[in-house]
Amino acid sequence: MGFRNGFTRLFAGLVLLLGSITTPALAAGLMTPANSSLPPLQIREQHVTVDVEDGYAITEVEQVFHNPNDQDLEAYYRFPVPERGTVAEFTVWIDGKPVIGEVLEKQQARQVYEKEKAAGREAGLTEKDSYKAFDVLVQPVRAGQETRVRLVYMQPAFVDTGIGRYVYPLEEGGVDEKKLAFWTANDSVEEHFSFTLNLRSGYPVDALRLPKHPQAQIQQLGPQQWQVTLDNRTATSEEDENSESANFAPPTTNGQPANAFTLDQDIVVYWRHQQDLPGSVDLVAYKAPGKDRGTFMLSITPGDDLPPITTGSDWVFVLDISGSMSAKLATLADGVSQALGKLRGGDRFRIVLFDDRAEEITSGFVDATPDSIRHYTETLMQLKPRGGTNLFGGLSLALNPLDADRPTGIVLVTDGVANVGKTKQKDFIDLLESHDVRLFTFVMGNSANRPMLSAMTDASNGFAISVSNSDDIAGQILNATAKLTHQAMNDVAIDIDGVRTADLQPQRIGSIYHGRQIVLLGHYWGDGPAKVTLRANVAGQDKQYKTRFNFPASGGDNPELERLWAYATIQDMQREINYFGEEKDLQQGIVDLGLEYGLVTNYTSMVVLRDEVFEEYGIERRNAKRRQIEKLAKEQRQANAPASNRVDTAQPMYTSNRPSYSGGGGGAFSIGALLPFLILLVGGGLRRRH
């Protein structure tokens, strides 16, 4: 038990470190050339509406841009790509009426936009800048006038160990040097900012909270329905003064209102499911009228039957000290010191640093004694930031030497992207697959290369955790620790017999850690009974879990599933491109799916034109029709109370309840109340992957 408590404290120190060093360098907002002599455009209003339902979230962002200048200008708004999020609607108000954009191949969309810009006609464009950001361009914003736009994006919404988490990303990571050198961001909403999240759950929710926005109003509308609102017009002056993270800018001398809202801090919302819910299988399906093929989302929430593990470990800390970490190194040293101080006697560690080169400041594995911890903490305190990010060099050094007789975990902490040495995803995956080790990555900030870092952890059967500056850090401690103190389900595979299914995403499930859900998206034909079998290896033993239920013949009010499946497939194709390099067939596959399902990708963009101009270019209004179907379905869902989508009640797949965290009820649960349960966690160490 001593090691297990020490292991918990180790991760406590590490995650506290992460929470304290994610300092934003650039926020979402209107971009202005650094050498521009014109007053910047303004964001007069920004209204965010989020609908979280079982399995996915839909975010609508409506903005009003104002041009204070005496000449027409182009608005350029940039915000971080949400985790696994894709733009499904971009609308610009033209002549007082909303016009929904259509998706074209990226180069074609840019050409059409530039042509309309040169002609002085209203147009808008949304592009994706790889994994970094979505760029929204609107022109012209008339002199002295306002322009209204709306952006809608979709993303999965998972529940982990009974707790759901939604992030509205606003903080930039400061790793895009070209953008930082040329652009400045106006991140202030001058007049009115509002954020509304509507939560509808198939299972009872007993608490909801926003860790960094205590001024938010939380309302429970029913056992399965909650609403949270954040509005700078309703905040009191006392809240403004006392809340460190209220986002309300202080009064200025240029006439800006005192309650202006700054877009420099993520909004993170947590909700907690009721305790003692059963392990379950949930099915949401949609089949368009007259179609034989439907789309489904199958969510499997395992019961809590994974046993604890009790072996000790070696740890290798791989720490990013590149230029973007310049303001964070002192806190980095303190955090590593705290983490190392929680190791038990007999455990060992190494510390590897990387910027544009890599070096190990330990000489092989070091026993975690007070003297060694003090020595290496003093060494870390003297570090200076240096250059680029040679991530490959850091990992290569961390993997050599390792002790084959001891389980080893690699803890990678980075807020940047690989830009020195080897930078291709294939190089990293090949490196990790050549070693018997698990990689655990803490992805700091919204501009980190999440696709590559996640692919690396998947290749080693580890996991990646995204960390926002607005996260509840104690909650992240609990979440990470529970994953590593229990056996995982390895080599997970799911078979569906009876109903014909195909095009499943993900194609490979890999390992599932304690508390995590398994979510499958795919197509099915026909209807009727299906037998579902989950196979996995747990601690060297093969296990099976089975159930039976019916797939629906028609209907369903979740047409968004089609886009979610399409984007999951696009992400899978993009991973192949990142691994093997540019490949025309894969690129064309992404373009085809983007066009068919109206999605902004690395190879497709969304353009808004006047209605008559769409006709001139011969652009079919497919996305406008799809959005109309989705909006009607959303209205139908909201007209009814949330219902359970559980389908394994007749033959439960699991006999035990799902994992959850303890805590009292109430409208705003305190993660602090959960801290005593850290010492009750059982198990420890790591098993090398099979």
Side-chain angles (χ1 to χ4, degrees):
M1 179 65 74
F3 168 73
R4 293 191 288 271
N5 290 341
F7 180 79
T8 298
R9 292 190 295 269
L10 161 68
F11 259 81
L14 178 61
V15 182
L16 285 170
L17 155 69
L18 295 177
S20 61
I21 62 179
T22 50
T23 303
L26 184 67
L30 282 167
M31 309 296 286
T32 302
N35 60 355
S36 175
S37 60
L38 292 173
L41 295 175
Q42 301 169 353
I43 310 171
R44 283 284 175 89
E45 299 182 31
Q46 182 158 323
H47 304 287
V48 183
T49 303
V50 185
D51 291 289
V52 180
E53 312 197 43
D54 289 313
Y56 61 93
I58 304 171
T59 303
E60 297 187 7
V61 184
E62 195 164 305
Q63 298 169 299
V64 176
F65 301 142
H66 175 72
N67 183 0
N69 302 286
D70 58 3
Q71 65 184 77
D72 296 349
L73 293 177
E74 178 183 49
Y76 170 23
Y77 182 85
R78 184 176 172 92
F79 74 101
V81 172
E83 189 167 8
R84 302 189 186 184
T86 179
V87 170
E89 177 189 333
F90 176 43
T91 292
V92 179
W93 270 253
I94 299 176
D95 296 335
K97 297 180 180 180
V99 180
I100 294 177
E102 297 295 334
V103 170
L104 302 176
E105 186 274 329
K106 190 168 190 174
Q107 184 177 1
Q108 181 188 6
R110 170 62 78 162
Q111 290 173 347
V112 169
Y113 175 78
E114 293 295 344
K115 185 175 180 179
E116 292 304 298
K117 176 180 175 180
R121 290 193 292 262
E122 290 83 357
L125 180 70
T126 294
E127 297 178 321
K128 185 181 181 184
D129 180 8
S130 185
Y131 56 83
K132 301 184 187 75
F134 286 116
D135 293 325
V136 178
L137 303 173
V138 182
Q139 69 81 36
V141 181
R142 302 293 184 187
Q145 298 184 27
E146 296 178 342
T147 293
R148 182 179 295 269
V149 303
R150 179 172 62 224
L151 201 70
V152 179
Y153 62 85
M154 300 177 182
Q155 64 192 120
F158 303 116
V159 172
D160 191 333
T161 321
I163 292 180
R165 173 179 175 267
Y166 170 85
V167 179
Y168 179 56
L170 292 171
E171 299 179 10
E172 280 276 14
V175 298
D176 194 331
E177 296 179 0
K178 292 183 178 179
K179 294 290 182 182
L180 289 171
F182 186 77
W183 297 96
T184 61
N186 176 12
D187 62 2
S188 176
V189 180
E190 300 282 327
E191 296 181 0
H192 192 190
F193 175 89
S194 67
F195 173 89
T196 302
L197 182 140
N198 302 301
L199 171 65
R200 293 165 54 86
S201 172
Y203 295 92
V205 172
D206 65 14
L208 185 148
R209 73 187 295 258
L210 288 77
K212 298 297 184 180
H213 294 84
Q215 73 275 24
Q217 298 180 6
I218 300 172
Q219 184 179 10
Q220 183 175 5
L221 306 178
Q224 298 168 238
Q225 193 168 355
W226 291 67
Q227 184 179 78
V228 57
T229 57
L230 182 67
D231 195 313
N232 67 330
R233 286 187 172 178
T234 60
T236 65
S237 59
E238 181 179 354
E239 287 172 332
D240 295 350
E241 293 172 1
N242 296 337
S243 175
E244 295 181 0
S245 53
N247 289 77
F248 300 129
T252 64
T253 57
N254 62 1
Q256 176 180 302
N259 67 338
F261 190 92
T262 52
L263 304 172
D264 60 354
Q265 183 181 64
D266 296 345
I267 300 176
V268 179
V269 181
Y270 289 99
W271 60 94
R272 187 184 62 208
H273 279 164
Q274 188 180 83
Q275 287 189 75
D276 300 325
L277 293 174
S280 64
V281 178
D282 292 79
L283 178 71
V284 181
Y286 174 75
K287 189 176 289 187
K291 300 293 185 180
D292 185 47
R293 189 188 77 176
T295 306
F296 72 91
M297 179 171 61
L298 188 70
S299 301
I300 300 176
T301 306
D304 191 4
D305 65 348
L306 294 176
I309 54 180
T310 56
T311 56
S313 305
D314 284 345
W315 291 96
V316 185
F317 293 87
V318 186
L319 308 177
D320 183 350
I321 60 166
S322 59
S324 62
M325 299 287 289
S326 60
K328 312 164 191 175
L329 289 184
T331 308
L332 175 67
D334 182 62
V336 172
S337 173
Q338 293 182 44
L340 294 177
K342 307 308 178 185
L343 288 172
R344 69 167 185 173
D347 289 335
R348 305 183 305 177
F349 68 91
R350 292 169 56 211
I351 300 176
V352 172
L353 310 176
F354 69 93
D355 50 353
D356 51 11
R357 58 189 177 87
E359 64 174 314
E360 179 179 353
I361 62 173
T362 50
S363 299
F365 281 103
V366 176
D367 292 332
T369 65
D371 287 343
S372 64
I373 291 171
R374 182 167 49 252
H375 169 74
Y376 288 107
T377 297
E378 292 174 355
T379 302
L380 289 172
M381 291 295 292
Q382 299 173 14
L383 293 173
K384 304 293 182 183
R386 308 173 306 205
T389 306
N390 189 352
L391 177 56
F392 189 88
L395 278 178
S396 298
L397 186 56
L399 292 168
N400 291 295
L402 298 178
D403 190 336
D405 295 328
R406 290 173 63 92
T408 304
I410 307 292
V411 178
L412 170 64
V413 184
T414 180
D415 71 344
V417 296
N419 55 24
V420 175
K422 293 184 178 181
T423 60
K424 293 182 179 180
Q425 179 175 301
K426 183 179 186 302
D427 296 327
F428 289 93
I429 293 178
D430 289 347
L431 174 66
L432 288 165
E433 288 184 339
S434 65
H435 293 78
D436 191 14
V437 66
R438 284 183 177 175
L439 173 69
F440 306 103
T441 303
F442 289 82
V443 184
M444 299 165 51
N446 295 314
S447 296
N449 191 343
R450 280 191 303 238
M452 186 177 76
L453 294 172
S454 295
M456 290 161 53
T457 55
D458 289 345
S460 71
N461 281 338
F463 62 80
I465 292 181
S466 295
V467 179
S468 166
N469 207 39
S470 296
D471 264 312
D472 190 314
I473 303 304
Q476 292 288 63
I477 297 168
L478 203 62
N479 189 20
T481 305
K483 301 293 176 290
L484 301 179
T485 58
H486 290 72
Q487 295 284 358
M489 289 193 292
N490 298 308
D491 304 321
V492 175
I494 296 175
D495 297 323
I496 304 176
D497 298 320
V499 169
R500 178 190 166 201
T501 60
D503 309 324
L504 299 182
Q505 290 294 339
Q507 295 182 14
R508 175 185 174 272
I509 298 175
S511 296
I512 298 296
Y513 286 84
H514 182 264
R516 290 208 164 180
Q517 292 180 310
I518 304 169
V519 179
L520 276 182
L521 288 160
H523 289 139
Y524 75 100
W525 287 259
D527 64 285
K531 177 184 176 182
V532 177
T533 303
L534 188 156
R535 295 182 173 84
N537 184 283
V538 179
Q541 297 184 349
D542 293 332
K543 303 191 72 171
Q544 290 189 9
Y545 306 87
K546 298 180 178 180
T547 187
R548 292 177 181 270
F549 55 84
N550 290 332
F551 273 72
S554 61
D557 56 1
N558 297 86
E560 297 89 349
L561 293 179
E562 293 187 337
R563 295 209 212 225
L564 292 171
W565 169 84
Y567 194 60
T569 305
I570 287 169
Q571 288 181 304
D572 188 63
M573 292 178 174
Q574 189 64 55
R575 278 191 291 269
E576 289 195 48
I577 290 174
N578 294 342
Y579 183 83
F580 292 107
E582 297 288 347
E583 209 281 325
K584 288 186 177 180
D585 287 343
L586 287 172
Q587 290 182 26
Q588 189 59 50
I590 292 175
V591 170
D592 291 344
L593 285 172
L595 295 177
E596 180 177 358
Y597 293 96
L599 299 174
V600 176
T601 71
N602 288 352
Y603 303 100
T604 57
S605 302
M606 191 170 290
V607 65
V608 177
L609 309 169
R610 301 184 70 91
D611 283 327
E612 63 273 17
V613 177
F614 274 123
E615 295 182 10
E616 291 177 12
Y617 283 101
I619 299 172
E620 187 180 351
R621 303 306 305 278
R622 291 188 294 183
N623 194 50
K625 294 176 182 177
R626 183 177 289 275
R627 281 300 293 150
Q628 184 64 25
I629 293 171
E630 291 169 345
K631 290 176 182 178
L632 289 174
K634 176 181 171 181
E635 292 174 1
Q636 293 173 359
R637 294 194 301 266
Q638 294 182 341
N640 301 305
S644 173
N645 297 308
R646 186 179 179 188
V647 290
D648 70 328
T649 52
Q651 182 182 335
M653 178 172 275
Y654 288 91
T655 58
S656 56
N657 290 338
R658 63 184 66 178
S660 64
Y661 295 135
S662 302
F669 68 92
S670 170
I671 291 292
L674 301 178
L675 287 175
F677 292 91
L678 286 170
I679 62 173
L680 301 180
L681 291 173
V682 294
L686 303 172
R687 296 288 188 189
R688 291 194 296 271
R689 59 191 176 93
H690 298 285

